Amino acid sequence: MQVSEAEWTDTEKNIARAAFDQAYKREVEALLKQVREQASTLVELSDLWRLHDFLSARRHEVEGKYDYQYPVLLFVFAGLVKEGWLHLNELEGLDKEKLSKIAALARI
Amino acid sequence: MQVSEAEWTDTEKNIARAAFDQAYKREVEALLKQVREQASTLVELSDLWRLHDFLSARRHEVEGKYDYQYPVLLFVFAGLVKEGWLHLNELEGLDKEKLSKIAALARI
């Protein structure tokens, strides 16, 4: 289900980039908010190491997830839709086949 | 300069334990305060990963430092005095030789 760069029109690329950036912005803002809240309740050292473990996991996850490479972009979008960082309608303008693939993958 | 457990009197052990716990408490409280402050100013993802790097380093350092083993305790105390987490006068009641070793090591 890989789609090479040549199969994306310029319009689709613009839509994809904007959607990708929007999802990234949402997830980063939510993460920052969560950490600010978690940090404000720190009482003991074990809380701090729990925050550290949390950041280790999220860093690994976030850095791996936002991979803007056309061949894997349908999978990336499907994951973002599934997790709620992106709405399918923000991808409108992509061709029907790409959209239905993303929707199907997001349901898995 | 190692000092075996047999060379610590019960009184000295009590003084040492209280001083050790006090230094630990101070350092942990300062660390928690610092992280709460740092977290309240988080604006972007790079700030978050900087916090993560900071926590990784401090966790490694703190977990290594607070090692309550009699043979290495003079070194531990010297380090805590040097870093400001403990005052030499909080160790009063240890025998003169131990105190002067700690003071000397803390100046290195």
Side-chain angles (χ1 to χ4, degrees):
Chain A
M1 210 172 285
Q2 290 201 345
V3 182
S4 71
E5 183 172 351
E7 296 172 75
W8 295 77
T9 66
D10 285 346
T11 303
E12 285 185 313
K13 286 180 178 177
N14 289 338
I15 292 164
R17 186 75 235 187
F20 182 92
D21 291 345
Q22 181 61 44
Y24 180 80
K25 188 162 173 271
R26 278 188 195 123
E27 183 161 7
V28 168
E29 279 175 5
L31 181 55
L32 289 167
K33 183 167 179 283
Q34 191 178 358
V35 171
R36 280 193 298 263
E37 286 171 1
Q38 206 174 325
S40 70
T41 68
L42 293 171
V43 173
E44 54 187 48
L45 203 60
S46 61
D47 300 329
L48 200 58
W49 299 161
R50 203 171 308 116
L51 174 63
H52 178 244
D53 289 338
F54 172 78
L55 287 176
S56 298
R58 298 308 310 274
R59 189 174 193 169
H60 182 75
E61 186 204 337
V62 169
E63 290 187 341
K65 187 160 62 178
Y66 287 93
D67 183 20
Y68 196 84
Q69 304 291 332
Y70 289 103
V72 296
L73 213 45
L74 297 190
F75 295 96
V76 172
F77 282 144
L80 295 173
V81 168
K82 190 171 183 172
E83 292 170 6
W85 301 116
L86 193 66
H87 304 288
L88 265 179
N89 61 17
E90 293 175 296
L91 293 167
E92 271 174 23
L94 300 189
D95 82 72
K96 298 285 176 221
E97 200 182 345
K98 288 192 187 73
L99 280 175
S100 66
K101 282 176 180 172
I102 292 168
L105 287 166
R107 281 193 296 270
I108 292 176
Chain B
M1 209 170 288
Q2 290 201 346
V3 183
S4 72
E5 183 171 353
E7 296 173 74
W8 295 76
T9 66
D10 285 347
T11 303
E12 284 184 314
K13 285 180 178 177
N14 290 337
I15 292 165
R17 185 76 234 186
F20 182 91
D21 291 345
Q22 182 61 45
Y24 180 79
K25 190 164 172 273
R26 279 188 194 122
E27 181 160 8
V28 168
E29 279 174 5
L31 181 55
L32 289 167
K33 184 166 178 281
Q34 191 178 357
V35 171
R36 281 194 298 263
E37 286 170 1
Q38 206 174 325
S40 70
T41 67
L42 292 170
V43 173
E44 53 187 49
L45 204 60
S46 61
D47 300 331
L48 200 59
W49 300 160
R50 202 171 308 117
L51 174 62
H52 178 245
D53 289 339
F54 171 78
L55 288 175
S56 299
R58 298 309 309 275
R59 188 174 193 169
H60 182 75
E61 185 205 338
V62 169
E63 290 188 341
K65 187 161 60 179
Y66 286 92
D67 184 21
Y68 197 83
Q69 304 292 330
Y70 289 103
V72 296
L73 213 46
L74 297 190
F75 296 96
V76 173
F77 282 145
L80 295 174
V81 168
K82 189 171 185 171
E83 292 169 8
W85 301 116
L86 193 64
H87 304 286
L88 265 179
N89 62 15
E90 294 175 296
L91 293 166
E92 271 175 23
L94 300 189
D95 82 71
K96 297 285 178 223
E97 200 183 342
K98 289 192 188 73
L99 280 174
S100 66
K101 282 177 180 171
I102 292 168
L105 286 166
R107 281 193 297 270
I108 293 175

